[in-house]
Amino acid sequence: MRFLKKIPYKLKTALPALALAGGAMMASCEKEEPDLGPTTDVEYKFSSRDMYLLFTNEEHSELNSTLKYYINHPAVRTIYLTPAINDSYWEIMPSYEISIFRKYYMEPIINYSPKIRGKGDFDFKPGEASKVPNDSLWFVQNGWTINKALQNQK
């Protein structure tokens, strides 16, 4: 017994049909991203007196619950850390404290999440930030300005 049967087809119609079937299969396998809706930016203001409130431990390795909430919330796009305006401590902060402030307070926060950025102006005592150029450059690279009011006067 012989079970061979000839099926007539044209190569011109078979190739596009196979391509269409393969494309449909590929499209059905793609993972669809959920639409989270509109995103928002959050501004988190702090002063020199409440810097310790940004962390829950002495090692400055654990952020407070408010910042963690904003980091984990899918509708929050960016968290801007903004220094308080007219904070008298920024104006008297010596250069070595600017370095300590960056290294132990601001750098751990910025490195904690890519959502966190700087915004606003630090009005350090004129000339103090220039004594620590790496630190002042770090502040500027992460979104803050230094003595902007003085620069606008000149």
Side-chain angles (χ1 to χ4, degrees):
M1 255 181 134
R2 215 168 159 182
F3 289 93
L4 265 166
K5 182 177 180 183
K6 289 186 179 181
I7 301 173
Y9 64 92
K10 291 185 179 178
L11 197 53
K12 284 183 180 179
T13 57
L15 287 177
L18 287 173
L20 185 61
M25 287 182 69
M26 292 297 286
S28 66
C29 293
E30 289 179 13
K31 182 179 177 183
E32 292 185 24
E33 293 293 324
D35 183 23
L36 299 176
T39 58
T40 186
D41 295 337
V42 174
E43 192 168 325
Y44 191 89
K45 294 188 179 192
F46 64 94
S47 69
S48 61
R49 291 176 292 286
D50 61 7
M51 283 301 302
Y52 65 92
L53 295 176
L54 295 172
F55 299 98
T56 59
N57 60 6
E58 292 290 321
E59 295 83 34
H60 304 130
S61 61
E62 194 66 34
L63 291 183
N64 72 20
S65 58
T66 306
L67 284 174
K68 282 185 178 180
Y69 171 78
Y70 289 142
I71 289 168
N72 295 324
H73 198 285
V76 175
R77 178 180 45 227
T78 307
I79 305 161
Y80 290 108
L81 297 177
T82 307
I85 299 172
N86 299 327
D87 189 339
S88 60
Y89 187 71
W90 306 131
E91 297 171 3
I92 62 169
M93 187 181 276
S95 60
Y96 69 89
E97 284 189 16
I98 293 172
S99 293
I100 292 170
F101 173 62
R102 177 198 62 88
K103 184 176 181 181
Y104 293 109
Y105 288 94
M106 302 315 296
E107 195 168 354
I109 295 173
I110 293 289
N111 292 340
Y112 194 86
S113 171
K115 282 186 171 184
I116 300 176
R117 296 277 306 142
K119 182 180 180 181
D121 185 50
F122 284 105
D123 53 345
F124 295 131
K125 183 178 178 182
E128 290 299 309
S130 63
K131 292 178 184 176
V132 283
N134 290 338
D135 297 322
S136 59
L137 182 61
W138 183 88
F139 280 109
V140 172
Q141 287 174 339
N142 285 289
W144 290 284
T145 57
I146 297 175
N147 297 342
K148 188 174 183 180
L150 291 176
Q151 294 170 2
N152 290 340
Q153 290 176 358
K154 293 180 180 179

